[in-house]
Amino acid sequence: MRISAVLKSTFAAASLLALAACGAEESGSFTTDEGDTGEYRIDSESGEASMTVETPDGDVTMRTGADIPVDLPAGFTLIDGAQVLNNITIGQADGKGALITFLSDKSPKEITDFYRAQAEAAGIAIQIETDINGGSMLGGEDETSGATFSITAYPGEDGTTGQLTISQDLN
C-alpha cells in the first residue's frame, strides 16, 4: 500500500490533534470518520504533539512540532540556513512522509531550484511547475518507487516561507 492511501485518514486525525492542542487535554483517544482508532499526546512545554492511528493496514504514527528531528529520504536535505517553523513526520510499515514549513533568506527561485536538483537526482520527474505572485511551486513523482514531492516558496516580510512535502514508499 502506498503511503498516500492512508494520508487522508491520518490528516483527518491530525486535524483532531490540532483541535485537541487548542484545549486543555494533553492526551486522549479518538475514532476517525473511517472508523480508525488512535491516541494522541501533547507536550505542553515543547508544543510537540504525537499520534498513533490503528488502521486495517497497520499503525500510522505522526509527530509534529518545530523541534522534531528532520527525517527526509536519502538525497534530500533542508536548504542551508533554513529555520524550521513546523515539522510533521508520518510513518507506517510501508512508507514515511514529511511536511516541513521553514523560513529562509533565499529567494523562492533559489529554493525551488535547490529542491528541483535533489528531486531529479532522486528519480522524481517534475510534473507541475508554476510561478505566481512572486512565489514558486513545483512537484512530481517517481512512478517506479511511488515517492512524491512538492515545494512551495513565497516571499514575506521576514524572508521566504517554504513548505516541503515528501512521501516515500519503503517497499
PDB file of all heavy atoms in Angstrom, residues 123-163:
ATOM      1  N   GLY A 123      15.329  10.663  -8.846  1.00  0.00           N
ATOM      2  CA  GLY A 123      14.493   9.971  -9.823  1.00  0.00           C
ATOM      3  C   GLY A 123      13.069  10.473  -9.898  1.00  0.00           C
ATOM      4  O   GLY A 123      12.216   9.851 -10.529  1.00  0.00           O
ATOM      5  N   ILE A 124      12.795  11.599  -9.279  1.00  0.00           N
ATOM      6  CA  ILE A 124      11.446  12.165  -9.307  1.00  0.00           C
ATOM      7  C   ILE A 124      11.313  13.057 -10.534  1.00  0.00           C
ATOM      8  O   ILE A 124      12.105  13.983 -10.728  1.00  0.00           O
ATOM      9  CB  ILE A 124      11.151  12.959  -8.021  1.00  0.00           C
ATOM     10  CG1 ILE A 124      11.117  11.990  -6.831  1.00  0.00           C
ATOM     11  CG2 ILE A 124       9.854  13.741  -8.140  1.00  0.00           C
ATOM     12  CD1 ILE A 124      10.973  12.652  -5.480  1.00  0.00           C
ATOM     13  N   ALA A 125      10.308  12.765 -11.360  1.00  0.00           N
ATOM     14  CA  ALA A 125      10.032  13.571 -12.545  1.00  0.00           C
ATOM     15  C   ALA A 125       9.163  14.757 -12.135  1.00  0.00           C
ATOM     16  O   ALA A 125       8.112  14.577 -11.507  1.00  0.00           O
ATOM     17  CB  ALA A 125       9.306  12.737 -13.599  1.00  0.00           C
ATOM     18  N   ILE A 126       9.598  15.960 -12.475  1.00  0.00           N
ATOM     19  CA  ILE A 126       8.817  17.160 -12.168  1.00  0.00           C
ATOM     20  C   ILE A 126       7.600  17.166 -13.090  1.00  0.00           C
ATOM     21  O   ILE A 126       7.722  17.107 -14.307  1.00  0.00           O
ATOM     22  CB  ILE A 126       9.660  18.441 -12.339  1.00  0.00           C
ATOM     23  CG1 ILE A 126      10.898  18.392 -11.443  1.00  0.00           C
ATOM     24  CG2 ILE A 126       8.808  19.679 -12.055  1.00  0.00           C
ATOM     25  CD1 ILE A 126      10.632  18.226  -9.959  1.00  0.00           C
ATOM     26  N   GLN A 127       6.412  17.221 -12.485  1.00  0.00           N
ATOM     27  CA  GLN A 127       5.171  17.149 -13.251  1.00  0.00           C
ATOM     28  C   GLN A 127       4.380  18.443 -13.238  1.00  0.00           C
ATOM     29  O   GLN A 127       3.492  18.627 -14.064  1.00  0.00           O
ATOM     30  CB  GLN A 127       4.304  16.016 -12.706  1.00  0.00           C
ATOM     31  CG  GLN A 127       4.973  14.665 -12.834  1.00  0.00           C
ATOM     32  CD  GLN A 127       4.264  13.579 -12.052  1.00  0.00           C
ATOM     33  OE1 GLN A 127       3.768  13.807 -10.949  1.00  0.00           O
ATOM     34  NE2 GLN A 127       4.237  12.383 -12.604  1.00  0.00           N
ATOM     35  N   ILE A 128       4.668  19.305 -12.274  1.00  0.00           N
ATOM     36  CA  ILE A 128       3.966  20.576 -12.201  1.00  0.00           C
ATOM     37  C   ILE A 128       4.944  21.639 -11.736  1.00  0.00           C
ATOM     38  O   ILE A 128       5.778  21.394 -10.877  1.00  0.00           O
ATOM     39  CB  ILE A 128       2.733  20.511 -11.265  1.00  0.00           C
ATOM     40  CG1 ILE A 128       1.941  21.807 -11.328  1.00  0.00           C
ATOM     41  CG2 ILE A 128       3.140  20.165  -9.854  1.00  0.00           C
ATOM     42  CD1 ILE A 128       0.588  21.735 -10.648  1.00  0.00           C
ATOM     43  N   GLU A 129       4.830  22.803 -12.361  1.00  0.00           N
ATOM     44  CA  GLU A 129       5.705  23.913 -12.002  1.00  0.00           C
ATOM     45  C   GLU A 129       4.980  25.207 -12.308  1.00  0.00           C
ATOM     46  O   GLU A 129       4.388  25.353 -13.379  1.00  0.00           O
ATOM     47  CB  GLU A 129       6.998  23.823 -12.819  1.00  0.00           C
ATOM     48  CG  GLU A 129       7.967  24.910 -12.538  1.00  0.00           C
ATOM     49  CD  GLU A 129       9.283  24.719 -13.291  1.00  0.00           C
ATOM     50  OE1 GLU A 129       9.428  23.744 -14.055  1.00  0.00           O
ATOM     51  OE2 GLU A 129      10.168  25.567 -13.106  1.00  0.00           O
ATOM     52  N   THR A 130       5.015  26.136 -11.358  1.00  0.00           N
ATOM     53  CA  THR A 130       4.368  27.420 -11.589  1.00  0.00           C
ATOM     54  C   THR A 130       5.021  28.501 -10.749  1.00  0.00           C
ATOM     55  O   THR A 130       5.562  28.229  -9.681  1.00  0.00           O
ATOM     56  CB  THR A 130       2.844  27.352 -11.292  1.00  0.00           C
ATOM     57  OG1 THR A 130       2.236  28.558 -11.722  1.00  0.00           O
ATOM     58  CG2 THR A 130       2.573  27.133  -9.829  1.00  0.00           C
ATOM     59  N   ASP A 131       4.988  29.700 -11.269  1.00  0.00           N
ATOM     60  CA  ASP A 131       5.422  30.897 -10.554  1.00  0.00           C
ATOM     61  C   ASP A 131       4.245  31.856 -10.555  1.00  0.00           C
ATOM     62  O   ASP A 131       3.678  32.127 -11.614  1.00  0.00           O
ATOM     63  CB  ASP A 131       6.620  31.555 -11.246  1.00  0.00           C
ATOM     64  CG  ASP A 131       7.866  30.685 -11.216  1.00  0.00           C
ATOM     65  OD1 ASP A 131       8.131  30.079 -10.167  1.00  0.00           O
ATOM     66  OD2 ASP A 131       8.563  30.620 -12.245  1.00  0.00           O
ATOM     67  N   ILE A 132       3.883  32.359  -9.372  1.00  0.00           N
ATOM     68  CA  ILE A 132       2.745  33.269  -9.277  1.00  0.00           C
ATOM     69  C   ILE A 132       2.930  34.202  -8.086  1.00  0.00           C
ATOM     70  O   ILE A 132       3.371  33.771  -7.024  1.00  0.00           O
ATOM     71  CB  ILE A 132       1.413  32.490  -9.179  1.00  0.00           C
ATOM     72  CG1 ILE A 132       0.230  33.426  -9.283  1.00  0.00           C
ATOM     73  CG2 ILE A 132       1.332  31.655  -7.935  1.00  0.00           C
ATOM     74  CD1 ILE A 132      -1.099  32.729  -9.530  1.00  0.00           C
ATOM     75  N   ASN A 133       2.645  35.446  -8.277  1.00  0.00           N
ATOM     76  CA  ASN A 133       2.714  36.464  -7.227  1.00  0.00           C
ATOM     77  C   ASN A 133       4.044  36.458  -6.483  1.00  0.00           C
ATOM     78  O   ASN A 133       4.086  36.618  -5.271  1.00  0.00           O
ATOM     79  CB  ASN A 133       1.558  36.302  -6.235  1.00  0.00           C
ATOM     80  CG  ASN A 133       0.209  36.525  -6.872  1.00  0.00           C
ATOM     81  OD1 ASN A 133       0.086  37.313  -7.807  1.00  0.00           O
ATOM     82  ND2 ASN A 133      -0.796  35.843  -6.384  1.00  0.00           N
ATOM     83  N   GLY A 134       5.134  36.252  -7.207  1.00  0.00           N
ATOM     84  CA  GLY A 134       6.453  36.269  -6.605  1.00  0.00           C
ATOM     85  C   GLY A 134       6.884  34.956  -5.983  1.00  0.00           C
ATOM     86  O   GLY A 134       8.006  34.820  -5.513  1.00  0.00           O
ATOM     87  N   GLY A 135       5.984  33.980  -5.945  1.00  0.00           N
ATOM     88  CA  GLY A 135       6.298  32.683  -5.358  1.00  0.00           C
ATOM     89  C   GLY A 135       6.533  31.630  -6.415  1.00  0.00           C
ATOM     90  O   GLY A 135       6.255  31.839  -7.596  1.00  0.00           O
ATOM     91  N   SER A 136       7.062  30.507  -5.980  1.00  0.00           N
ATOM     92  CA  SER A 136       7.332  29.385  -6.879  1.00  0.00           C
ATOM     93  C   SER A 136       6.811  28.098  -6.265  1.00  0.00           C
ATOM     94  O   SER A 136       6.813  27.949  -5.047  1.00  0.00           O
ATOM     95  CB  SER A 136       8.837  29.223  -7.112  1.00  0.00           C
ATOM     96  OG  SER A 136       9.354  30.288  -7.850  1.00  0.00           O
ATOM     97  N   MET A 137       6.397  27.179  -7.127  1.00  0.00           N
ATOM     98  CA  MET A 137       5.921  25.874  -6.683  1.00  0.00           C
ATOM     99  C   MET A 137       6.282  24.853  -7.728  1.00  0.00           C
ATOM    100  O   MET A 137       6.232  25.126  -8.929  1.00  0.00           O
ATOM    101  CB  MET A 137       4.408  25.901  -6.500  1.00  0.00           C
ATOM    102  CG  MET A 137       3.838  24.714  -5.768  1.00  0.00           C
ATOM    103  SD  MET A 137       3.305  23.287  -6.731  1.00  0.00           S
ATOM    104  CE  MET A 137       2.202  23.909  -7.920  1.00  0.00           C
ATOM    105  N   LEU A 138       6.712  23.673  -7.264  1.00  0.00           N
ATOM    106  CA  LEU A 138       6.892  22.565  -8.184  1.00  0.00           C
ATOM    107  C   LEU A 138       6.656  21.260  -7.443  1.00  0.00           C
ATOM    108  O   LEU A 138       6.709  21.205  -6.210  1.00  0.00           O
ATOM    109  CB  LEU A 138       8.271  22.588  -8.859  1.00  0.00           C
ATOM    110  CG  LEU A 138       9.525  22.503  -8.036  1.00  0.00           C
ATOM    111  CD1 LEU A 138      10.058  21.077  -8.051  1.00  0.00           C
ATOM    112  CD2 LEU A 138      10.587  23.404  -8.676  1.00  0.00           C
ATOM    113  N   GLY A 139       6.339  20.238  -8.200  1.00  0.00           N
ATOM    114  CA  GLY A 139       6.075  18.943  -7.603  1.00  0.00           C
ATOM    115  C   GLY A 139       6.194  17.842  -8.626  1.00  0.00           C
ATOM    116  O   GLY A 139       6.197  18.093  -9.831  1.00  0.00           O
ATOM    117  N   GLY A 140       6.318  16.629  -8.126  1.00  0.00           N
ATOM    118  CA  GLY A 140       6.441  15.499  -9.030  1.00  0.00           C
ATOM    119  C   GLY A 140       6.394  14.184  -8.302  1.00  0.00           C
ATOM    120  O   GLY A 140       6.159  14.122  -7.091  1.00  0.00           O
ATOM    121  N   GLU A 141       6.616  13.124  -9.073  1.00  0.00           N
ATOM    122  CA  GLU A 141       6.522  11.762  -8.546  1.00  0.00           C
ATOM    123  C   GLU A 141       7.511  10.868  -9.270  1.00  0.00           C
ATOM    124  O   GLU A 141       7.788  11.058 -10.449  1.00  0.00           O
ATOM    125  CB  GLU A 141       5.103  11.244  -8.754  1.00  0.00           C
ATOM    126  CG  GLU A 141       4.874   9.833  -8.287  1.00  0.00           C
ATOM    127  CD  GLU A 141       3.434   9.368  -8.466  1.00  0.00           C
ATOM    128  OE1 GLU A 141       2.631  10.081  -9.091  1.00  0.00           O
ATOM    129  OE2 GLU A 141       3.133   8.278  -7.991  1.00  0.00           O
ATOM    130  N   ASP A 142       8.020   9.895  -8.536  1.00  0.00           N
ATOM    131  CA  ASP A 142       8.815   8.829  -9.132  1.00  0.00           C
ATOM    132  C   ASP A 142       7.845   7.677  -9.360  1.00  0.00           C
ATOM    133  O   ASP A 142       7.413   7.030  -8.414  1.00  0.00           O
ATOM    134  CB  ASP A 142       9.948   8.405  -8.194  1.00  0.00           C
ATOM    135  CG  ASP A 142      10.797   7.272  -8.754  1.00  0.00           C
ATOM    136  OD1 ASP A 142      10.318   6.535  -9.649  1.00  0.00           O
ATOM    137  OD2 ASP A 142      11.924   7.111  -8.278  1.00  0.00           O
ATOM    138  N   GLU A 143       7.478   7.440 -10.599  1.00  0.00           N
ATOM    139  CA  GLU A 143       6.457   6.437 -10.904  1.00  0.00           C
ATOM    140  C   GLU A 143       6.908   5.027 -10.556  1.00  0.00           C
ATOM    141  O   GLU A 143       6.093   4.156 -10.338  1.00  0.00           O
ATOM    142  CB  GLU A 143       6.059   6.549 -12.375  1.00  0.00           C
ATOM    143  CG  GLU A 143       5.615   7.953 -12.717  1.00  0.00           C
ATOM    144  CD  GLU A 143       4.253   8.019 -13.351  1.00  0.00           C
ATOM    145  OE1 GLU A 143       3.654   6.978 -13.626  1.00  0.00           O
ATOM    146  OE2 GLU A 143       3.799   9.149 -13.570  1.00  0.00           O
ATOM    147  N   THR A 144       8.207   4.791 -10.477  1.00  0.00           N
ATOM    148  CA  THR A 144       8.717   3.471 -10.127  1.00  0.00           C
ATOM    149  C   THR A 144       8.625   3.211  -8.636  1.00  0.00           C
ATOM    150  O   THR A 144       8.099   2.192  -8.196  1.00  0.00           O
ATOM    151  CB  THR A 144      10.182   3.319 -10.591  1.00  0.00           C
ATOM    152  OG1 THR A 144      10.252   3.575 -11.991  1.00  0.00           O
ATOM    153  CG2 THR A 144      10.703   1.931 -10.296  1.00  0.00           C
ATOM    154  N   SER A 145       9.113   4.152  -7.834  1.00  0.00           N
ATOM    155  CA  SER A 145       9.149   3.938  -6.381  1.00  0.00           C
ATOM    156  C   SER A 145       7.909   4.445  -5.673  1.00  0.00           C
ATOM    157  O   SER A 145       7.662   4.077  -4.524  1.00  0.00           O
ATOM    158  CB  SER A 145      10.377   4.630  -5.781  1.00  0.00           C
ATOM    159  OG  SER A 145      10.187   6.038  -5.756  1.00  0.00           O
ATOM    160  N   GLY A 146       7.148   5.328  -6.309  1.00  0.00           N
ATOM    161  CA  GLY A 146       5.973   5.899  -5.672  1.00  0.00           C
ATOM    162  C   GLY A 146       6.270   7.121  -4.822  1.00  0.00           C
ATOM    163  O   GLY A 146       5.374   7.687  -4.205  1.00  0.00           O
ATOM    164  N   ALA A 147       7.531   7.556  -4.767  1.00  0.00           N
ATOM    165  CA  ALA A 147       7.893   8.740  -3.998  1.00  0.00           C
ATOM    166  C   ALA A 147       7.227   9.971  -4.618  1.00  0.00           C
ATOM    167  O   ALA A 147       7.161  10.105  -5.840  1.00  0.00           O
ATOM    168  CB  ALA A 147       9.411   8.920  -3.976  1.00  0.00           C
ATOM    169  N   THR A 148       6.708  10.846  -3.767  1.00  0.00           N
ATOM    170  CA  THR A 148       6.118  12.099  -4.226  1.00  0.00           C
ATOM    171  C   THR A 148       6.824  13.254  -3.539  1.00  0.00           C
ATOM    172  O   THR A 148       7.391  13.103  -2.459  1.00  0.00           O
ATOM    173  CB  THR A 148       4.610  12.170  -3.938  1.00  0.00           C
ATOM    174  OG1 THR A 148       4.400  12.091  -2.523  1.00  0.00           O
ATOM    175  CG2 THR A 148       3.855  11.059  -4.643  1.00  0.00           C
ATOM    176  N   PHE A 149       6.748  14.421  -4.169  1.00  0.00           N
ATOM    177  CA  PHE A 149       7.500  15.567  -3.699  1.00  0.00           C
ATOM    178  C   PHE A 149       6.799  16.842  -4.134  1.00  0.00           C
ATOM    179  O   PHE A 149       6.269  16.914  -5.246  1.00  0.00           O
ATOM    180  CB  PHE A 149       8.903  15.483  -4.320  1.00  0.00           C
ATOM    181  CG  PHE A 149       9.569  16.798  -4.538  1.00  0.00           C
ATOM    182  CD1 PHE A 149      10.302  17.379  -3.512  1.00  0.00           C
ATOM    183  CD2 PHE A 149       9.481  17.455  -5.742  1.00  0.00           C
ATOM    184  CE1 PHE A 149      10.922  18.606  -3.709  1.00  0.00           C
ATOM    185  CE2 PHE A 149      10.099  18.663  -5.949  1.00  0.00           C
ATOM    186  CZ  PHE A 149      10.822  19.241  -4.922  1.00  0.00           C
ATOM    187  N   SER A 150       6.798  17.855  -3.279  1.00  0.00           N
ATOM    188  CA  SER A 150       6.393  19.196  -3.690  1.00  0.00           C
ATOM    189  C   SER A 150       7.094  20.215  -2.812  1.00  0.00           C
ATOM    190  O   SER A 150       7.431  19.948  -1.661  1.00  0.00           O
ATOM    191  CB  SER A 150       4.876  19.387  -3.620  1.00  0.00           C
ATOM    192  OG  SER A 150       4.436  19.446  -2.278  1.00  0.00           O
ATOM    193  N   ILE A 151       7.332  21.385  -3.386  1.00  0.00           N
ATOM    194  CA  ILE A 151       7.903  22.514  -2.657  1.00  0.00           C
ATOM    195  C   ILE A 151       7.165  23.769  -3.110  1.00  0.00           C
ATOM    196  O   ILE A 151       6.928  23.956  -4.298  1.00  0.00           O
ATOM    197  CB  ILE A 151       9.439  22.655  -2.885  1.00  0.00           C
ATOM    198  CG1 ILE A 151      10.024  23.833  -2.108  1.00  0.00           C
ATOM    199  CG2 ILE A 151       9.776  22.758  -4.359  1.00  0.00           C
ATOM    200  CD1 ILE A 151      10.106  23.645  -0.629  1.00  0.00           C
ATOM    201  N   THR A 152       6.773  24.567  -2.150  1.00  0.00           N
ATOM    202  CA  THR A 152       6.246  25.895  -2.438  1.00  0.00           C
ATOM    203  C   THR A 152       7.099  26.886  -1.666  1.00  0.00           C
ATOM    204  O   THR A 152       7.563  26.596  -0.561  1.00  0.00           O
ATOM    205  CB  THR A 152       4.764  26.054  -2.028  1.00  0.00           C
ATOM    206  OG1 THR A 152       4.644  25.793  -0.630  1.00  0.00           O
ATOM    207  CG2 THR A 152       3.874  25.127  -2.804  1.00  0.00           C
ATOM    208  N   ALA A 153       7.319  28.056  -2.251  1.00  0.00           N
ATOM    209  CA  ALA A 153       8.129  29.080  -1.605  1.00  0.00           C
ATOM    210  C   ALA A 153       7.561  30.446  -1.960  1.00  0.00           C
ATOM    211  O   ALA A 153       7.400  30.761  -3.147  1.00  0.00           O
ATOM    212  CB  ALA A 153       9.582  28.962  -2.055  1.00  0.00           C
ATOM    213  N   TYR A 154       7.236  31.238  -0.931  1.00  0.00           N
ATOM    214  CA  TYR A 154       6.648  32.557  -1.131  1.00  0.00           C
ATOM    215  C   TYR A 154       7.362  33.590  -0.279  1.00  0.00           C
ATOM    216  O   TYR A 154       7.631  33.351   0.895  1.00  0.00           O
ATOM    217  CB  TYR A 154       5.151  32.553  -0.795  1.00  0.00           C
ATOM    218  CG  TYR A 154       4.357  31.847  -1.848  1.00  0.00           C
ATOM    219  CD1 TYR A 154       4.088  30.487  -1.747  1.00  0.00           C
ATOM    220  CD2 TYR A 154       3.916  32.530  -2.977  1.00  0.00           C
ATOM    221  CE1 TYR A 154       3.377  29.824  -2.742  1.00  0.00           C
ATOM    222  CE2 TYR A 154       3.209  31.879  -3.971  1.00  0.00           C
ATOM    223  CZ  TYR A 154       2.947  30.534  -3.847  1.00  0.00           C
ATOM    224  OH  TYR A 154       2.266  29.882  -4.833  1.00  0.00           O
ATOM    225  N   PRO A 155       7.659  34.757  -0.882  1.00  0.00           N
ATOM    226  CA  PRO A 155       8.354  35.800  -0.129  1.00  0.00           C
ATOM    227  C   PRO A 155       7.423  36.450   0.890  1.00  0.00           C
ATOM    228  O   PRO A 155       6.209  36.526   0.690  1.00  0.00           O
ATOM    229  CB  PRO A 155       8.764  36.804  -1.219  1.00  0.00           C
ATOM    230  CG  PRO A 155       7.759  36.633  -2.303  1.00  0.00           C
ATOM    231  CD  PRO A 155       7.362  35.177  -2.258  1.00  0.00           C
ATOM    232  N   GLY A 156       8.024  36.897   1.978  1.00  0.00           N
ATOM    233  CA  GLY A 156       7.284  37.602   3.009  1.00  0.00           C
ATOM    234  C   GLY A 156       8.172  38.641   3.663  1.00  0.00           C
ATOM    235  O   GLY A 156       9.328  38.831   3.262  1.00  0.00           O
ATOM    236  N   GLU A 157       7.662  39.298   4.668  1.00  0.00           N
ATOM    237  CA  GLU A 157       8.411  40.356   5.344  1.00  0.00           C
ATOM    238  C   GLU A 157       9.666  39.834   6.045  1.00  0.00           C
ATOM    239  O   GLU A 157      10.665  40.532   6.128  1.00  0.00           O
ATOM    240  CB  GLU A 157       7.516  41.063   6.357  1.00  0.00           C
ATOM    241  CG  GLU A 157       6.423  41.893   5.721  1.00  0.00           C
ATOM    242  CD  GLU A 157       5.560  42.592   6.751  1.00  0.00           C
ATOM    243  OE1 GLU A 157       5.984  42.737   7.916  1.00  0.00           O
ATOM    244  OE2 GLU A 157       4.449  43.000   6.375  1.00  0.00           O
ATOM    245  N   ASP A 158       9.601  38.611   6.575  1.00  0.00           N
ATOM    246  CA  ASP A 158      10.714  38.047   7.338  1.00  0.00           C
ATOM    247  C   ASP A 158      11.617  37.132   6.519  1.00  0.00           C
ATOM    248  O   ASP A 158      12.525  36.511   7.063  1.00  0.00           O
ATOM    249  CB  ASP A 158      10.183  37.262   8.542  1.00  0.00           C
ATOM    250  CG  ASP A 158       9.426  38.148   9.511  1.00  0.00           C
ATOM    251  OD1 ASP A 158       9.789  39.340   9.634  1.00  0.00           O
ATOM    252  OD2 ASP A 158       8.476  37.664  10.140  1.00  0.00           O
ATOM    253  N   GLY A 159      11.364  37.009   5.231  1.00  0.00           N
ATOM    254  CA  GLY A 159      12.128  36.110   4.372  1.00  0.00           C
ATOM    255  C   GLY A 159      11.169  35.294   3.534  1.00  0.00           C
ATOM    256  O   GLY A 159       9.998  35.626   3.389  1.00  0.00           O
ATOM    257  N   THR A 160      11.660  34.204   2.997  1.00  0.00           N
ATOM    258  CA  THR A 160      10.837  33.320   2.170  1.00  0.00           C
ATOM    259  C   THR A 160      10.351  32.154   3.022  1.00  0.00           C
ATOM    260  O   THR A 160      11.143  31.499   3.695  1.00  0.00           O
ATOM    261  CB  THR A 160      11.632  32.781   0.975  1.00  0.00           C
ATOM    262  OG1 THR A 160      12.104  33.890   0.195  1.00  0.00           O
ATOM    263  CG2 THR A 160      10.789  31.880   0.102  1.00  0.00           C
ATOM    264  N   THR A 161       9.048  31.911   2.974  1.00  0.00           N
ATOM    265  CA  THR A 161       8.477  30.752   3.656  1.00  0.00           C
ATOM    266  C   THR A 161       8.383  29.626   2.650  1.00  0.00           C
ATOM    267  O   THR A 161       7.839  29.800   1.555  1.00  0.00           O
ATOM    268  CB  THR A 161       7.083  31.059   4.233  1.00  0.00           C
ATOM    269  OG1 THR A 161       7.201  32.124   5.172  1.00  0.00           O
ATOM    270  CG2 THR A 161       6.485  29.835   4.913  1.00  0.00           C
ATOM    271  N   GLY A 162       8.949  28.487   3.024  1.00  0.00           N
ATOM    272  CA  GLY A 162       8.905  27.313   2.165  1.00  0.00           C
ATOM    273  C   GLY A 162       8.117  26.209   2.834  1.00  0.00           C
ATOM    274  O   GLY A 162       8.058  26.133   4.077  1.00  0.00           O
ATOM    275  N   GLN A 163       7.480  25.398   2.015  1.00  0.00           N
ATOM    276  CA  GLN A 163       6.796  24.215   2.540  1.00  0.00           C
ATOM    277  C   GLN A 163       7.173  23.037   1.664  1.00  0.00           C
ATOM    278  O   GLN A 163       6.840  22.982   0.482  1.00  0.00           O
ATOM    279  CB  GLN A 163       5.288  24.411   2.562  1.00  0.00           C
ATOM    280  CG  GLN A 163       4.588  23.297   3.318  1.00  0.00           C
ATOM    281  CD  GLN A 163       3.138  23.624   3.596  1.00  0.00           C
ATOM    282  OE1 GLN A 163       2.357  23.755   2.657  1.00  0.00           O
ATOM    283  NE2 GLN A 163       2.791  23.763   4.846  1.00  0.00           N
TER     284      GLN A 163
END
